[in-house]
């Protein structure tokens, strides 16, 4: 890796892509499965519908489709990719990593890769990791993907959670750059609050057994109210910090892309930030629900497709999820 | 500003109701149209404005405007 003119290698986003499965599950469809209704779901969450992957369609397939679109957008060939990071809490298998399946499907013959597990903040942690690898000079081109088949870990008998989630994928291509693209970042975790949001079984603590099945431990468990409060506080605080660290004000931000968990969370975060930020928030959770690790890259790519993100825009991303874990990143898009 | 006025201001702002609707006996949910998420957001706003953390066991008991004012006063806020 050659040094740039001032000796510093920067990282920048050069392309974005997304994929959403074809099948649409509406609130009315859900009302046939659990005791709920369209009005409750829309007013409490802002979600109208979500996409559900086919039974034979997996996280790696969605990740591959999103990555293909991102590579085309960046004009990068698969064999130029050095690193693939897949942020997911629904990998195809515990191992091999989903990243290996994506590597093979795309023909990224020179890449290494791994999965990153940090629930809904996984994509930002993956972007942070790829940025570090690029700025160190060890990697030139990275594919950073968020992909989830949450329908496989959703308890379809629990109305408190099953209305929230959906399937999908998003990806960005990050490359070494002479101009800074990743302007600031801030990540955090608090394992004292690990129980607030979890999938208790499938790991070594509760290997699959008749008991774990009976206790429904292979599904997402969540305390909704507590999660709401923590999400709002930590996303608002992180947003303030990364905008300041980037040497910017909220006025300079062209688009805010928050984790798409719940419109009411996004509204409460925006209300706690300076200026009228809500109109600058990109929202697509009405059509996709919460897709966890896929949520931010799916939103980024869709925003670009819709003309809401243009080269040189300052984009603020904030996320929050199980761990607890959170992160914020400010980028200059395609600098 | 008196504590009462501050509480009323916050409720007016968050729930989009008029000042005269926010009577001490008014219930946040039944009379002022709050839903469960509004009540969480309101409690967070009181915590931020009054610098007092309100545990879930306590916030569940805050049903009316008067409950909130009495609770904050019992914590020495004015
Ligand atoms: C999940 C969430 C929407 C629930 O909202 P809430 O206001 O906390 O709801 P509550 O659990 O207090 O429930 C309120 C009422 O609605 C009912 N309810 C819950 N889910 C329902 C549904 N899908 N349909 C209809 N009614 C429902 C409850 O049973 C309760 O009824 P009751 O008052 O008669 O007991 C909200 O807490 C939330 O979004 N939390 C954050 C979750 C999240 O984003 N997680 C992922 C983070 S990455």
């Amino acid at each position: 890796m050659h040094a740039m003119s001032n000796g510093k290698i920067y990282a920048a986003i050069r392309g974005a892509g997304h994929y959403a499965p074809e099948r649409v599950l509406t609130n009315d469809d859900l009302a046939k499965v659990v005791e709920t209704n369209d009005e409750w779901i829309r007013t409490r969450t802002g979600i109208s519908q979500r996409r559900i992957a086919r039974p034979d369609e997996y996280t790696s397939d969605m990740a591959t489709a999103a990555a293909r679109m991102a590579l085309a957008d960046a004009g990068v060939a698969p064999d130029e990719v050095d690193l693939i990071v897949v942020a997911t809490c629904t990998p195809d298998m515990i191992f091999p990593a989903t990243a290996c399946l994506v590597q093979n499907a795309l023909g990224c013959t020179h890449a290494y890769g791994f999965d990153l597990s940090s629930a809904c903040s996984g994509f930002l942690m993956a972007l942070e990791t790829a940025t570090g690898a690029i700025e160190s000079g060890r990697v030139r081109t990275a594919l950073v993907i968020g992909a989830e088949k949450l329908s496989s870990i959703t308890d379809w008998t629990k109305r408190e959670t099953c209305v929230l989630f959906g399937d999908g994928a998003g990806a960005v291509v990050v490359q070494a750059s002479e101009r800074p693209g990743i302007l600031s970042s801030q990540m955090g975790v608090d394992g004292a609050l690990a129980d607030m949001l979890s999938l208790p079984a499938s790991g070594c603590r509760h290997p699959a057994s008749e008991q774990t099945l009976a206790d429904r431990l292979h599904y997402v468990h969540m305390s909704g109210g507590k999660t709401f409060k923590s999400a709002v506080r930590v996303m608002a605080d992180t947003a303030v910090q990364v905008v300041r660290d980037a040497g910017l004000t909220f006025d300079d931000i062209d688009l805010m892309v928050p984790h798409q968990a719940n419109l009411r969370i996004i509204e409460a975060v925006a209300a706690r930030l300076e200026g009228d930020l809500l109109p600058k928030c990109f929202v697509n959770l009405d059509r996709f629900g919460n897709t966890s690790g896929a949520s931010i890259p799916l939103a980024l790519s869709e925003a670009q497709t819709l003309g809401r993100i243009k080269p040189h825009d300052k984009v603020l991303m904030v996320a929050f999820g199980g761990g607890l874990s959170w992160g914020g990143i400010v980028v200059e898009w395609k600098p | 500003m008196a504590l009462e006025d501050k509480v009323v201001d916050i409720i007016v702002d968050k729930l989009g109701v008029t000042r005269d609707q926010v009577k001490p006996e008014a219930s946040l949910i039944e009379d002022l149209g709050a839903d469960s998420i509004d009540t969480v957001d309101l409690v967070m706003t009181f915590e931020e404005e009054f610098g007092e953390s309100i545990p879930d066991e306590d916030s569940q008991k805050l049903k009316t405007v008067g409950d909130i004012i009495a609770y904050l006063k019992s914590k020495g806020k004015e």
Side-chain angles (χ1 to χ4, degrees):
Chain A
M1 181 74 234
H2 57 283
M4 298 294 167
S5 46
N6 66 352
K8 165 94 177 137
I9 304 165
Y10 296 105
I13 293 178
R14 293 293 171 205
H18 65 279
Y19 173 82
E22 233 165 82
R23 185 178 157 217
V24 171
L25 186 71
T26 65
N27 292 348
D28 288 334
D29 295 334
L30 271 170
K32 294 176 196 140
V33 186
V34 287
E35 185 64 38
T36 188
N37 59 77
D38 176 57
E39 202 262 345
W40 193 97
I41 303 172
R42 267 190 301 106
T43 55
R44 297 320 197 279
T45 71
I47 299 166
S48 296
Q49 57 185 51
R50 65 290 290 143
R51 300 295 184 90
I52 303 293
R54 296 188 314 269
D56 65 346
E57 186 175 39
Y58 308 113
T59 295
S60 62
D61 300 316
M62 295 187 274
T64 300
R68 234 180 226 126
M69 181 176 164
L71 288 171
D73 183 38
V76 166
D79 65 359
E80 292 175 61
V81 175
D82 304 307
L83 169 63
I84 302 171
V85 189
V86 179
T88 186
C89 56
T90 47
D92 284 32
M93 295 166 268
I94 299 275
F95 75 88
T98 312
C100 304
L101 309 179
V102 172
Q103 177 274 330
N104 182 49
L106 291 173
C108 295
T109 43
H110 297 112
Y112 79 101
F114 53 89
D115 290 0
L116 187 150
S117 160
S118 194
C120 300
S121 21
F123 174 77
L124 291 189
M125 299 230 182
L127 182 54
E128 170 77 350
T129 302
T131 298
I134 289 169
E135 288 179 348
S136 77
R138 303 176 101 86
V139 158
R140 189 177 157 73
T141 300
L143 251 179
V144 180
I145 306 170
E148 303 280 7
K149 187 173 180 176
L150 293 182
S151 58
S152 69
I153 56 165
T154 298
D155 188 340
W156 294 102
T157 68
K158 292 259 181 317
R159 68 176 185 180
E160 298 85 341
T161 47
C162 77
V163 302
L164 302 174
F165 302 119
D167 300 337
V172 295
V173 173
V174 190
Q175 283 193 302
S177 161
E178 287 180 34
R179 287 178 50 81
I182 311 297
L183 306 185
S184 65
S185 67
Q186 169 72 37
M187 305 287 141
V189 298
D190 183 0
L193 301 173
D195 288 342
M196 204 184 277
L197 194 52
S198 66
L199 192 155
S202 311
C204 72
R205 191 173 295 206
H206 300 290
S209 68
E210 280 181 24
Q211 195 59 47
T212 61
L213 288 176
D215 295 342
R216 309 191 79 77
L217 297 185
H218 297 271
Y219 297 116
V220 176
H221 288 243
M222 175 180 86
S223 358
K226 282 197 172 70
T227 305
F228 189 94
K229 247 173 127 166
S230 305
V232 171
R233 289 245 157 88
V234 84
M235 289 209 286
D237 290 350
T238 305
V240 169
Q241 185 154 350
V242 289
V243 168
R244 192 180 42 214
D245 289 352
L248 302 174
T249 67
F250 282 103
D251 270 354
D252 302 318
I253 298 299
D254 297 293
L255 194 73
M256 175 162 166
V257 180
H259 170 46
Q260 307 283 309
N262 181 330
L263 183 60
R264 302 285 295 271
I265 294 180
I266 295 174
E267 289 170 345
V269 170
R272 282 164 175 78
L273 300 175
E274 241 168 75
D276 188 10
L277 225 61
L278 198 55
K280 286 186 185 177
C281 286
F282 185 77
V283 173
N284 66 4
L285 61 82
D286 50 326
R287 288 170 295 117
F288 297 111
N290 178 351
T291 57
S292 192
S295 132
I296 288 186
L298 173 58
L300 284 175
S301 173
E302 204 191 31
Q304 178 176 258
T305 306
L306 296 171
R308 294 276 311 267
I309 302 183
K310 299 171 299 303
H312 305 294
D313 277 357
K314 307 285 192 301
V315 182
L316 162 65
M317 303 171 254
V318 277
F320 170 91
L324 295 188
S325 61
W326 59 89
I329 294 185
V330 176
V331 302
E332 178 176 332
W333 192 257
K334 299 183 174 175
Chain B
M1 200 191 302
L3 178 130
E4 282 86 348
D5 288 331
K6 228 166 150 181
V7 168
V8 173
D9 278 354
I10 290 169
I11 294 174
V12 166
D13 176 51
K14 287 280 173 194
L15 300 183
V17 290
T18 60
R19 285 191 79 84
D20 47 307
Q21 284 177 278
V22 190
K23 299 192 176 68
E25 65 279 11
S27 152
L28 295 174
I29 291 176
E30 269 98 66
D31 302 317
L32 302 178
D35 70 13
S36 45
I37 292 178
D38 291 318
T39 62
V40 175
D41 194 12
L42 273 172
V43 166
M44 291 179 69
T45 308
F46 294 132
E47 291 181 329
E48 290 154 10
E49 290 295 321
F50 294 98
E52 175 78 31
S53 116
I54 307 175
D56 289 350
E57 308 82 76
D58 291 352
S59 64
Q60 276 155 16
K61 295 184 209 131
L62 306 179
K63 305 277 187 217
T64 67
V65 177
D67 292 346
I68 295 163
I69 291 169
Y71 179 81
L72 290 169
K73 283 189 171 161
S74 78
K75 297 287 165 190
K77 308 288 162 192
E78 50 189 60

